[in-house]
Amino acid sequence: MNKPLLKTITLLLFAPMLFSCSKKNLEEEKPKENVVEPEPEKKVSRVDRLADSLFYYAQDIYFWNDQLPTYEVFNPRQFSKGSVEFNSLNKVLFNITRYGTNPATGKPYEYNEIDNNDTKYSYIDKESYDGSKSFIKKNELSNLDLEGNGDDLGLKIGLYGVEQNYKILVQLTYPGSPAAISGLQRGDIITEINGVKYGTNFNHEVPSLSNALFESQSAIIKGKKSSGTPFEITLNKIRYQTKSVIKDSIYLDKTKKVGYFVFNSFSKLSHTQADLTATFNKFQHAGITDLIIDLRYNGGGYINTVEFLANKIAPNSLNGKVMFTENFNSTMQNNKTKYLKNLSLETTDSKGEKVKVRYTDLDYSISGNTFKFNPTGNININTLVFIVTENTASASELLINIFKPHLNVKIVGAKTYGKPIGFFPLTIGGYDVYFSMFESRNASNESDYYNGISVNKSSNDDAYYPFGNLNEQSFKAAYDYIVTGNFSNSTSMLSGKASGSNQLQKLKALSPPQFKGMIENRIKSH
């Protein structure tokens, strides 16, 4: 089955050395006695050839390829000595990503603060494409893909409080999931799972808690609703399809009409388009004057979905103006690649016919990868406010960055993840490899948010209240700014439903592993 993205033909490339040609003696020599035959050349293993391939392709396509050393210095085969092929290749990729230093930090751009032994952007997909869970680190048991398909219990939780006294709050339930069908909602408190009580020993309990909710086929959950009513439910893992738009609402003030929606994922446009269109039809009909977009749990996805949403948001005055550009390294831009010519890709042409081309046939220039506004939402907003957290990443950050040069943009919550880098897959030896390939920049040529996008107003993710509730800290901060032109000074205080400290402390957020990325699924030929 073909991927919806650029699907490459699997190749094993690059023998261990370059072979020089010599003239063959056309005259047969007479046999000589006691001649010692040379030893046959040692056969190169598959994993060594793949290790070489990863490095050679990185020399072409890796965004920071100008900082890579020579093959001899890097020596990719030194990292391919393990017994498990996938693990060996991950070591090669990890060490490739140690090159490319961020001058702001002195560390690699791909330095992962959460896990120093993992990359921040690039990765290898362990399994071949199976038709549903594309562009996900499947070896990490991610259960919600970028086509809206779920295969889990269907909830996100946050642990709030202190280590010896914390609460498990439901942050989100995915529409159509077992959790949502059971009536579990944001603000509900979980106290017990499968007979085990939680909340008094954070470090000891988190592994068991994560396993019970995100790696099990079923769970018996006890707790109390946000209203205080106790509940006991049994959730069984099922396959379901969810929505990217979790909620949309319109708020009326004396002079303002404020649109608000929670957008969970930039999933495949064919899955998301209908929901976004319905939401913006409501906004257009109501004549909204301002807009709040809640991206607090949105890890990114497809760039063409970003473009579609941006055109829904954009006023007509932006028609024809630059939305963003995709910037590849100079090797790619100037068509100076050495190794990409060995890879073919299967895609479709403008008529929808299947075609096979080579990666070197594509246009990687800035002019060929400049995208402009074509507004379709028929709205004219004064202020655009984004609600974000550390889980807001990549395609979500691109949407924010797109509008900074054009509209009055404000950001509420906590600093974002930090990923202005995008990619598409190269299939090497059966593995889809996602190198950091291009940097997205807005109309002001800005892209420097590798350490996250800073907020205008710090605010806690107050899961004690539903999305869009004026008592919820982040939403209140965003709404107050639109209505008054200022941020409230009270949004750092604990919500009225909590007790104890006057600070709402989120110890940890837990959910099935979430994709964080920005995928380009369009090609432009020269």
Side-chain angles (χ1 to χ4, degrees):
M1 181 179 293
N2 289 337
K3 283 190 176 183
L5 257 182
L6 307 179
K7 179 64 178 176
T8 58
I9 305 299
T10 301
L11 295 177
L12 292 177
L13 303 174
F14 310 122
M17 62 184 70
L18 298 175
F19 295 94
S20 61
C21 297
S22 61
K23 293 183 179 179
K24 184 178 179 181
N25 191 341
L26 299 179
E27 296 182 0
E28 294 185 3
E29 296 183 1
K30 294 181 180 180
K32 296 180 180 180
E33 296 181 359
N34 301 321
V35 173
V36 178
E37 296 292 336
E39 293 184 6
E41 183 183 347
K42 184 178 179 181
K43 186 176 181 181
V44 180
S45 68
R46 167 184 157 88
V47 68
D48 280 348
R49 284 184 289 160
L50 287 176
D52 287 354
S53 294
L54 285 177
F55 180 75
Y56 283 122
Y57 285 128
Q59 285 188 316
D60 274 355
I61 207 165
Y62 191 57
F63 187 70
W64 299 283
N65 68 339
D66 60 341
Q67 297 187 45
L68 290 174
T70 64
Y71 173 90
E72 290 74 19
V73 171
F74 184 79
N75 186 16
R77 296 184 192 180
Q78 69 177 302
F79 308 112
S80 60
K81 305 303 181 186
S83 59
V84 180
E85 180 178 88
F86 177 75
N87 293 341
S88 294
L89 297 180
N90 261 333
K91 289 180 181 178
V92 178
L93 181 66
F94 175 80
N95 282 279
I96 288 172
T97 65
R98 298 309 86 186
Y99 295 90
T101 301
N102 185 345
T105 64
K107 297 178 180 179
Y109 281 99
E110 295 217 40
Y111 179 77
N112 189 327
E113 293 183 355
I114 298 174
D115 183 354
N116 302 161
N117 296 313
D118 196 7
T119 61
K120 187 173 183 180
Y121 309 138
S122 303
Y123 74 94
I124 303 174
D125 192 348
K126 184 176 183 180
E127 301 176 16
S128 61
Y129 180 59
D130 64 4
S132 61
K133 295 181 180 178
S134 56
F135 317 118
I136 300 294
K137 293 185 179 181
K138 293 173 220 174
N139 54 304
E140 293 186 357
L141 301 175
S142 183
N143 297 317
L144 187 65
D145 68 16
L146 288 180
E147 295 175 7
N149 302 308
D151 186 17
D152 55 18
L153 302 181
L155 74 162
K156 289 176 65 71
I157 61 172
L159 311 184
Y160 294 81
V162 294
E163 292 186 359
Q164 304 306 318
N165 181 20
Y166 68 90
K167 288 183 171 61
I168 305 170
L169 281 152
V170 175
Q171 295 176 314
L172 169 70
T173 58
Y174 297 103
S177 70
I181 293 171
S182 74
L184 208 57
Q185 296 178 329
R186 177 177 169 89
D188 292 344
I189 299 174
I190 296 173
T191 57
E192 183 178 317
I193 307 172
N194 297 331
V196 178
K197 293 184 178 180
Y198 294 92
T200 59
N201 191 336
F202 174 81
N203 291 322
H204 176 73
E205 293 169 354
V206 164
S208 172
L209 173 60
S210 181
N211 181 73
L213 288 180
F214 307 118
E215 298 181 30
S216 301
Q217 295 295 314
S218 63
I220 301 172
I221 299 174
K222 291 183 179 180
K224 32 179 210 177
K225 304 292 288 181
S226 57
S227 62
T229 305
F231 70 85
E232 178 178 345
I233 58 173
T234 299
L235 301 181
N236 295 300
K237 179 179 175 181
I238 63 170
R239 295 183 181 275
Y240 61 92
Q241 187 167 66
T242 191
K243 296 181 178 181
S244 292
V245 177
I246 302 297
K247 176 187 177 66
D248 60 37
S249 304
I250 297 170
Y251 300 80
L252 304 179
D253 186 64
K254 293 179 181 178
T255 59
K256 306 280 186 178
K257 293 182 179 179
V258 183
Y260 167 74
F261 72 106
V262 182
F263 196 53
N264 183 60
S265 172
F266 287 89
S267 58
K268 193 174 180 180
L269 185 56
S270 59
H271 167 255
T272 309
Q273 184 170 346
D275 285 345
L276 285 173
T277 299
T279 293
F280 276 84
N281 284 345
K282 292 179 186 178
F283 293 162
Q284 179 188 351
H285 181 74
I288 66 168
T289 58
D290 303 88
L291 181 61
I292 301 170
I293 304 178
D294 199 328
L295 300 173
R296 72 183 82 194
Y297 305 134
N298 193 317
Y302 289 97
I303 293 178
N304 66 332
T305 303
V306 176
E307 187 180 11
F308 179 84
L309 176 54
N311 279 322
K312 287 291 184 185
I313 297 167
N316 290 330
S317 60
L318 293 183
N319 187 43
K321 293 186 178 180
V322 171
M323 183 185 288
F324 67 96
T325 60
E326 294 173 354
N327 298 259
F328 291 84
N329 64 39
S330 60
T331 304
M332 300 285 284
Q333 287 185 33
N334 297 317
N335 198 24
K336 299 294 185 182
T337 59
K338 296 179 180 179
Y339 309 106
L340 276 183
K341 63 184 179 182
N342 296 294
L343 279 185
S344 299
L345 63 98
E346 296 173 358
T347 185
T348 56
D349 60 18
S350 59
K351 297 180 181 179
E353 300 292 333
K354 289 183 179 180
V355 294
K356 185 183 292 185
V357 298
R358 295 195 178 277
Y359 274 94
T360 46
D361 296 329
L362 305 184
D363 186 355
Y364 300 105
S365 68
I366 294 176
S367 61
N369 292 277
T370 295
F371 300 88
K372 298 183 178 182
F373 284 103
N374 179 25
T376 60
N378 294 312
I379 60 174
N380 189 22
I381 59 175
N382 298 313
T383 301
L384 177 60
V385 184
F386 293 97
I387 298 176
V388 300
T389 66
E390 67 280 0
N391 293 310
T392 305
S394 203
S396 289
E397 294 169 309
L398 172 60
L399 183 70
I400 297 169
N401 199 42
I402 280 172
F403 283 105
K404 279 189 170 184
H406 301 293
L407 298 178
N408 179 26
V409 172
K410 298 298 178 183
I411 306 168
V412 170
K415 182 183 281 190
T416 64
Y417 181 76
K419 189 179 187 299
I421 287 290
F423 45 43
F424 50 77
L426 298 181
T427 303
I428 305 172
Y431 296 100
D432 281 351
V433 182
Y434 293 83
F435 287 112
S436 293
M437 292 183 180
F438 59 85
E439 184 180 70
S440 64
R441 299 175 186 169
N442 64 20
S444 298
N445 206 36
E446 296 168 334
S447 64
D448 191 17
Y449 50 89
Y450 287 95
N451 298 319
I453 298 176
S454 297
V455 299
N456 300 106
K457 176 63 179 179
S458 295
S459 180
N460 292 306
D461 178 16
D462 188 354
Y464 282 94
Y465 288 99
F467 292 119
N469 188 298
L470 281 169
N471 290 309
E472 196 275 318
Q473 293 185 22
S474 294
F475 180 76
K476 177 175 173 53
Y479 186 80
D480 281 352
Y481 179 82
I482 288 174
V483 173
T484 68
N486 295 291
F487 287 110
S488 168
N489 293 323
S490 63
T491 55
S492 63
M493 302 301 291
L494 185 68
S495 73
K497 292 191 179 184
S499 59
S501 167
N502 66 350
Q503 180 78 26
L504 180 65
Q505 181 181 0
K506 181 171 68 177
L507 294 174
K508 191 175 183 66
L510 292 176
S511 66
Q514 182 182 13
F515 174 82
K516 289 184 173 68
M518 185 163 60
I519 305 164
E520 181 54 270
N521 60 333
R522 296 163 295 190
I523 64 168
K524 292 186 177 183
S525 60
H526 285 287

